Amino acid sequence: MTDGQYTKRQKESLKLWIELLRYSNKLEQIIDDKLRQNYGQNISRFDVLSQLARAKPEGLTIGELAGQLIASKGNITGLLDRMQKDGLIEKETKKNDRRSYLVRHTKKGNELFAEMAEKNAQWVETALEDIDIDHMKEFAQFLSKSRNSLD
Amino acid sequence: MTDGQYTKRQKESLKLWIELLRYSNKLEQIIDDKLRQNYGQNISRFDVLSQLARAKPEGLTIGELAGQLIASKGNITGLLDRMQKDGLIEKETKKNDRRSYLVRHTKKGNELFAEMAEKNAQWVETALEDIDIDHMKEFAQFLSKSRNSLD
DNA sequence: TTTATTTATCTTACATGTAAACTATTTTTG
DNA sequence: CAAAAATAGTTTACATGTAAGATAAATAAA
């Protein structure tokens, strides 16, 4: 399959796709490494704690949580089990629906999240320090808008 | 940790970071699903075949290959083992360095890649169809430049 | 040349991601 | 209400990602 068989639009789409993957994966890797080295956590766990931190105080069901997560999608049963074992989250059976239960962060989980979030803001700021703020705004809006058309 | 404790620049960096993760993960997911459903392969395997397709005919060592991969980073031993078992790649011990060996695609692997690449170009084009081509170019250049400053 | 170091890759153990089949419960439909 | 369908989550099996330590070969140093 040579380049000649692709349309101009396909070539540009592929270029953008590759660059997006490269950039995003690299950035994700940088933050993931930092979280692991400094807190023994990874982006999936940070993501879970982040969603629980902004959730209503009684917590979220598995389904609600799964729908909000950015990184991990699939089986979060094991992830939550391990986080519960580490004392970061707790579960409570729902009275009105015995299939379901609520997940919320513990005091320990929330304190850890607060620490990680602060550091994360610094790491991300450093990683993006060469981008001027106007470009950042424009770029973020562009991505947000474009994402809606992916559905 | 409330928003008030972040600087303006940190807030914009975090916004951009989140949007990048959301967009890129979603796009990656769309393509990964398509590859799985249509070819029983995933992005990591597509990535490997893609690098081998553009490599010198004698192939790449594990180290060279690992350095070029976009998606997967860690242990590619198992990935290559499974791909070899599926007849997509082959290995050849290097004569001058017995620690190392060369990996290259088989005929079957390259034919599969050609098919997947063509379909992939169409899927990516469709996913990005709402973005005009000038924005695509600008965006890709921006990402490419910004990525260098991540190192 | 012998020892030490570096390099290339593997092995192990475990965490996470994916798909499909399964269980229990709730809701819908006739 | 009883059967069917939908929902919430789990389980299983396997693929992949990560880190640390091990192995073997090549290279550098004494």
Side-chain angles (χ1 to χ4, degrees), chain A:
Chain A
M1 179 109 257
T2 63
D3 276 13
Q5 298 181 245
Y6 294 109
T7 67
K8 186 169 180 51
R9 182 156 188 102
Q10 282 180 328
K11 284 188 215 167
E12 289 303 327
S13 300
L14 284 172
K15 267 192 207 171
L16 176 51
W17 178 60
I18 299 274
E19 288 301 335
L20 255 175
L21 286 183
R22 284 193 196 280
Y23 188 85
S24 179
N25 283 338
K26 191 161 191 172
L27 184 52
E28 187 164 354
Q29 195 59 52
I30 288 173
I31 300 301
D32 194 65
D33 285 349
K34 295 271 192 189
L35 287 173
R36 285 172 188 276
Q37 288 163 17
N38 290 277
Y39 299 103
Q41 308 293 319
N42 58 31
I43 284 205
S44 295
R45 284 160 167 247
F46 182 70
D47 197 7
V48 168
L49 290 176
S50 177
Q51 301 310 324
L52 294 180
R54 75 190 63 196
K56 48 194 185 322
E58 65 265 31
L60 298 172
T61 65
I62 302 289
E64 289 169 334
L65 178 58
Q68 290 178 19
L69 291 179
I70 299 176
S72 92
K73 281 185 49 186
N75 174 27
I76 62 176
T77 304
L79 177 60
L80 293 179
D81 284 350
R82 286 183 294 272
M83 290 181 74
Q84 184 181 33
K85 195 174 293 175
D86 292 345
L88 301 175
I89 63 161
E90 58 189 17
K91 303 173 183 174
E92 183 200 0
T93 309
K94 284 187 82 167
K95 290 282 160 52
N96 54 330
D97 187 342
R98 280 183 301 172
R99 293 170 304 183
S100 193
Y101 62 88
L102 291 167
V103 181
R104 55 175 171 258
H105 56 228
T106 59
K107 186 164 180 294
K108 178 180 174 186
N110 201 38
E111 283 169 359
L112 176 62
F113 172 68
E115 262 192 81
M116 289 196 294
E118 188 181 349
K119 278 289 184 187
N120 180 57
Q122 294 169 13
W123 295 328
V124 171
E125 184 187 16
T126 300
L128 304 185
E129 65 188 354
D130 285 350
I131 307 176
D132 68 80
I133 202 160
D134 289 331
H135 268 101
M136 278 204 273
K137 285 183 186 171
E138 184 190 358
F139 193 7
Q141 277 176 12
F142 174 72
L143 285 170
S144 173
K145 210 181 62 183
S146 303
R147 181 159 51 89
N148 293 327
S149 62
L150 280 186
D151 297 316

Side-chain angles (χ1 to χ4, degrees), chain A residues 9 26 131 139 142 151, chain B residues 9 26 131 139 142 149 151:
Chain A
R9 182 156 188 102
K26 191 161 191 172
I131 307 176
F139 193 7
F142 174 72
D151 297 316
Chain B
R9 182 154 189 102
K26 191 161 190 172
I131 307 177
F139 194 6
F142 173 72
S149 61
D151 299 317

Side-chain angles (χ1 to χ4, degrees), chain A residues 7 9-10 13-14, chain B residues 120-130:
Chain A
T7 67
R9 182 156 188 102
Q10 282 180 328
S13 300
L14 284 172
Chain B
N120 180 58
Q122 294 169 13
W123 295 328
V124 171
E125 184 186 15
T126 300
L128 304 184
E129 65 188 354
D130 285 350

Side-chain angles (χ1 to χ4, degrees), chain B residues 14-84:
Chain B
L14 284 172
K15 266 192 206 170
L16 177 51
W17 178 61
I18 300 273
E19 288 300 335
L20 255 175
L21 286 183
R22 285 194 196 280
Y23 188 86
S24 179
N25 283 338
K26 191 161 190 172
L27 184 53
E28 188 165 353
Q29 195 60 51
I30 288 173
I31 301 300
D32 193 66
D33 286 349
K34 295 271 192 189
L35 287 174
R36 286 172 188 275
Q37 288 162 17
N38 290 278
Y39 299 103
Q41 308 292 320
N42 58 32
I43 284 206
S44 296
R45 284 160 167 247
F46 182 70
D47 196 7
V48 168
L49 289 176
S50 177
Q51 301 311 322
L52 294 180
R54 75 191 62 197
K56 47 195 186 322
E58 67 264 32
L60 298 173
T61 65
I62 302 289
E64 289 170 334
L65 178 58
Q68 290 177 20
L69 291 178
I70 299 176
S72 91
K73 282 186 49 184
N75 175 27
I76 63 176
T77 304
L79 177 60
L80 293 179
D81 284 351
R82 286 183 294 272
M83 290 181 74
Q84 185 181 33

